[in-house]
Amino acid sequence: MKNTQTLYPLTFHPIPKEKIWGGTKLKKLLNKPFSGNHIGESWEISDVGNDCSVVKNGPLAGSTLRDLMQRYPKEIVGEEVYKKFKHHFPLLIKFIDARENLSVQLHPDDEIAKKRHNSYGKTEMWYIMQADDDSRIIIDFNEQISKDVYLKHLKNESLPTILNAEKVKTGDCYIIHPGLIHAIGKGVLLTEIQQTSDVTYRVYDWNRPDINGEKRELHTALALDAIDFSKTSNYKLAYTKKENDSVRMEQNKYFTTNYLYLTQAKEVSYTTVESFIIYICVEGKCEILCKKTKEKVALNTGQTALIPAQCETVFIETNKCVLLEVTI
């Protein structure tokens, strides 16, 4: 017998990740229910390994995202997305608080990740939610370099001298393609949209010990043929802010992200999108109503909702909020 559950806007319990570089902004600025002073990440929507999101609201509360993807995959992600990803939810949504610099790292593409790790690769997007004075990110090299020059700097522990550091502020947005060397700098709070993958190649970690006094593992050999040495400049995303309208920020084969700045209520139809929608509230607050089921969820800054494809049309009620609107 076919399941006939009518789906509704879903929220999930955030999954905390303690990191040596983590801090307290997720708790203090985003009101996450976390204890501890070194929480670096809050996984908001995840179907990665043992870190599978659990529904927080409504009659499906307590169900895992993976369970729902087995029972109602087409209703959640839409027919076209299901054809490509089957029962796997294709995106991972995080908030990240860098009290200290993250390691310098990169991610493999789909081909390498599949061959080595039986995983998807990782294309990711960053939206800066808050940054302390003079906070920076590392992104790409600061000059065209060869593999030999890179290895020489690794050996000499001078890699930071050839990395490009950029000062950031609230609203800045970056696309991190596989192979692009990068690191989130201290003082930065951001939201990250990415493929469902947790494969990272760490190449430099500032010579710091972990909580046990040991240095963390580096992935020098694995990273070598995954690094993009081509020196690109198309990683910072330019977008406009149009009041009460959806503005395209990024579109690639893995996800599309729009910027939605609302100062009044708005009805949004997704009948032609054939995808789920993820709303990430990065400023203000709102209520999102599924017109089909009459179910609603409230979102404050730092909260996320998954709108199943089955919902089709939503009504967003707010006086002021900024939402990142993510689809496939």
Side-chain angles (χ1 to χ4, degrees):
M1 181 181 293
K2 179 172 170 45
N3 292 314
T4 57
Q5 171 72 44
T6 300
L7 298 175
Y8 54 91
L10 299 167
T11 60
F12 299 89
H13 294 283
I15 302 170
K17 293 287 185 175
E18 189 167 352
K19 304 287 184 178
I20 61 172
W21 42 260
T24 58
K25 287 183 181 179
L26 296 173
K27 181 169 53 176
K28 292 179 178 178
L29 299 186
L30 302 188
N31 295 309
K32 296 297 175 186
F34 301 155
S35 58
N37 296 319
H38 297 280
I39 306 299
E41 299 181 355
S42 175
W43 289 23
E44 299 292 301
I45 302 178
S46 170
D47 188 21
V48 175
N50 294 325
D51 294 306
C52 189
S53 294
V54 176
V55 177
K56 184 178 181 181
N57 67 317
L60 293 171
S63 301
T64 67
L65 177 58
R66 190 167 301 145
D67 180 44
L68 297 184
M69 286 297 296
Q70 291 296 320
R71 292 157 62 190
Y72 320 111
K74 297 178 185 178
E75 292 88 342
I76 291 176
V77 300
E79 190 82 38
E80 292 303 310
V81 177
Y82 174 75
K83 287 178 183 178
K84 185 173 182 181
F85 295 98
K86 300 302 180 187
H87 296 277
H88 301 285
F89 193 78
L91 296 181
L92 170 59
I93 307 297
K94 303 176 182 177
F95 294 113
I96 299 177
D97 168 24
R99 182 181 54 86
E100 301 293 343
N101 294 330
L102 273 67
S103 63
V104 180
Q105 58 189 244
L106 61 130
H107 309 294
D109 61 20
D110 285 344
E111 182 179 355
I112 293 175
K114 177 67 175 177
K115 180 179 178 181
R116 294 178 179 171
H117 313 286
N118 193 30
S119 170
Y120 292 110
K122 191 191 291 191
T123 295
E124 63 189 32
M125 173 183 158
W126 296 344
Y127 176 87
I128 310 298
M129 294 183 66
Q130 184 269 339
D132 296 346
D133 291 344
D134 207 35
S135 290
R136 299 172 185 272
I137 61 168
I138 286 171
I139 190 160
D140 207 356
F141 298 103
N142 58 22
E143 59 184 45
Q144 185 76 51
I145 68 163
S146 66
K147 186 180 294 187
D148 289 341
V149 171
Y150 163 77
L151 288 171
K152 178 182 177 181
H153 280 283
L154 268 190
K155 182 179 179 180
N156 294 338
E157 298 186 349
S158 58
L159 188 66
T161 65
I162 59 169
L163 299 177
N164 176 53
E166 294 200 1
K167 189 173 180 180
V168 293
K169 63 183 185 305
T170 300
D172 285 347
C173 194
Y174 295 85
I175 183 71
I176 314 295
H177 292 292
L180 183 64
I181 203 159
H182 63 275
I184 302 171
K186 64 180 180 179
V188 175
L189 175 69
L190 60 79
T191 184
E192 181 175 281
I193 301 156
Q194 61 159 92
Q195 291 175 264
T196 292
S197 171
D198 197 31
V199 181
T200 294
Y201 294 159
R202 186 186 302 123
V203 298
Y204 183 80
D205 201 27
W206 314 100
N207 292 314
R208 64 185 164 194
D210 63 16
I211 58 174
N212 299 314
E214 303 289 335
K215 290 185 179 179
R216 295 195 295 173
E217 179 185 6
L218 300 179
H219 308 105
T220 305
L222 286 172
L224 199 55
D225 63 351
I227 296 176
D228 181 359
F229 289 105
S230 64
K231 183 70 177 75
T232 184
S233 60
N234 61 349
Y235 39 73
K236 188 170 185 180
L237 301 176
Y239 65 98
T240 56
K241 299 178 182 180
K242 188 175 180 182
E243 194 169 314
N244 300 313
D245 203 359
S246 185
V247 174
R248 180 64 44 82
M249 303 174 82
E250 166 64 12
Q251 183 173 21
N252 56 61
K253 64 181 181 179
Y254 304 110
F255 55 81
T256 295
T257 304
N258 296 324
Y259 184 92
L260 189 54
Y261 170 44
L262 298 179
T263 57
Q264 62 187 38
K266 182 178 180 66
E267 182 173 298
V268 187
S269 173
Y270 296 99
T271 54
T272 62
V273 174
E274 297 188 13
S275 167
F276 61 88
I277 301 93
I278 293 173
Y279 283 117
I280 307 169
C281 186
V282 295
E283 183 181 331
K285 60 183 179 179
C286 67
E287 287 190 336
I288 302 172
L289 169 73
C290 174
K291 296 200 73 177
K292 179 178 286 189
T293 65
K294 307 304 180 185
E295 298 273 356
K296 68 167 62 174
V297 294
L299 293 185
N300 294 317
T301 302
Q303 295 182 324
T304 303
L306 169 61
I307 313 299
Q310 188 185 65
C311 286
E312 295 182 348
T313 302
V314 299
F315 184 78
I316 306 171
E317 189 171 356
T318 186
N319 292 321
K320 182 180 180 182
C321 72
V322 176
L323 299 170
L324 302 187
E325 176 191 56
V326 185
T327 62
I328 291 288

